[in-house]
Amino acid sequence: DAGVTQSPTHLIKTRGQQVTLRCSPISGHKSVSWYQQVLGQGPQFIFQYYEKEERGRGNFPDRFSARQFPNYSSELNVNALLLGDSALYLCASSLNRISSLRTDTQYFGPGTRLTVL
Amino acid sequence: QQQVKQSPQSLIVQKGGISIINCAYENTAFDYFPWYQQFPGKGPALLIAIRPDVSEKKEGRFTISFNKSAKQFSLHIMDSQPGDSATYFCAASVEETSGSRLTFGEGTQLTVNP
């Protein structure tokens, strides 16, 4: 089975532009989360979506938005790009939003490397 | 707010040696503690994870030790191999009705010399 896939792999934008990143979860997974990983740091949580609804949001400005589609794929949008938005954007999928029987393990994709000039 | 602190930032060990990475957390509500391994150009991959109801979990050469009272946990890599050279992240989350969100440490760059 295919893992989490993300597109594009790399992206170069200039300040003020807008960008859309895409994620396809593992087949059967209904939850998608987005993380930002700045070079040399650990990933930071941005959003979590489950069944097309936002279930969690990290400490990021309103320039960041996301959505989940009926096939559980997801898009992350960032408006008015700043130099500080340059990072690896990771998508993770998991099977259940909640589980009383087991841990809801998150599986990460390879990420999209965004460079803002 | 940094809720998971990881050390050391970098670690160099010889092949066959033991690699030890430590993490400390602040939020006592955390109830799931995974370790992720990340190679350059790749996303993080789950290595091993533990819940606070046990003090140790071993999977092959990888062991997590957990100290709930001290709010600390560590990863031990036995018989370290050059192929283990990667960045390791500890993380923590609260399993709740809104779904889990992972809080990561800042990472440890491990180099295993042949």
Side-chain angles (χ1 to χ4, degrees), chain A residues 13 17 20 24 30 36 40 45 47-48 54 56 59 62 65 71 81 85-86 91 95-96 98 100 105 109 113-114 116:
Chain A
K13 293 285 187 179
Q17 286 189 311
T20 298
S24 292
K30 298 181 178 181
Q36 180 196 65
F45 173 79
F47 285 111
Q48 181 177 34
E54 182 182 307
N59 187 25
D62 291 343
S65 63
N71 66 354
L81 286 167
D85 294 332
S86 295
C91 174
L95 189 59
N96 290 314
I98 56 173
S100 60
T105 300
R113 172 73 61 187
L114 172 65
V116 182

Side-chain angles (χ1 to χ4, degrees), chain A residues 16-32:
Chain A
Q17 286 189 311
Q18 176 264 343
V19 67
T20 298
L21 311 179
R22 295 176 177 82
C23 171
S24 292
I26 293 171
S27 178
H29 285 193
K30 298 181 178 181
S31 178
V32 169

Side-chain angles (χ1 to χ4, degrees), chain A residues 33 35 37 40-43 45 48 55-58 88 90 97-99 102-106 108-110, chain B residues 2 9 32 36 38 41-46 51 89 95-107:
Chain A
S33 299
Y35 292 80
Q37 185 177 21
Q41 297 183 17
F45 173 79
Q48 181 177 34
R55 295 297 183 176
R57 184 185 183 112
L88 180 68
L90 296 162
R97 175 172 67 89
I98 56 173
S99 172
R102 59 176 175 76
T103 302
D104 192 22
T105 300
Q106 296 193 40
F108 285 85
Chain B
Q2 179 64 31
Q9 187 174 9
Y32 175 60
Y36 281 84
Q38 186 175 29
K42 303 290 186 180
L46 178 67
R51 286 192 174 275
F89 293 96
E95 299 285 290
E96 55 187 357
T97 55
S98 62
S100 59
R101 65 178 68 180
L102 292 168
T103 298
F104 284 86
E106 293 191 327

Side-chain angles (χ1 to χ4, degrees), chain A residues 27-92:
Chain A
S27 178
H29 285 193
K30 298 181 178 181
S31 178
V32 169
S33 299
W34 287 94
Y35 292 80
Q36 180 196 65
Q37 185 177 21
V38 173
L39 192 63
Q41 297 183 17
Q44 297 288 319
F45 173 79
I46 308 175
F47 285 111
Q48 181 177 34
Y49 276 77
Y50 177 78
E51 290 282 14
K52 303 180 291 296
E53 294 186 9
E54 182 182 307
R55 295 297 183 176
R57 184 185 183 112
N59 187 25
F60 281 81
D62 291 343
R63 300 184 295 107
F64 289 77
S65 63
R67 55 179 175 170
Q68 186 177 31
F69 299 97
N71 66 354
Y72 303 110
S73 66
S74 178
E75 286 183 350
L76 175 70
N77 295 283
V78 186
N79 295 321
L81 286 167
L82 304 174
L83 295 179
D85 294 332
S86 295
L88 180 68
Y89 287 85
L90 296 162
C91 174

Side-chain angles (χ1 to χ4, degrees), chain B residues 44-91:
Chain B
L46 178 67
L47 195 61
I48 187 173
I50 197 169
R51 286 192 174 275
D53 54 346
V54 296
S55 60
E56 185 175 283
K57 182 175 181 180
K58 182 177 181 180
E59 291 184 0
R61 297 185 294 110
F62 302 93
T63 300
I64 299 179
S65 297
F66 187 84
N67 186 330
K68 187 175 181 179
S69 61
K71 294 187 289 186
Q72 296 175 348
F73 58 110
S74 60
L75 175 69
H76 295 234
I77 306 175
M78 311 299 288
D79 187 25
S80 298
Q81 299 296 313
D84 296 331
S85 297
T87 301
Y88 292 80
F89 293 96
C90 61

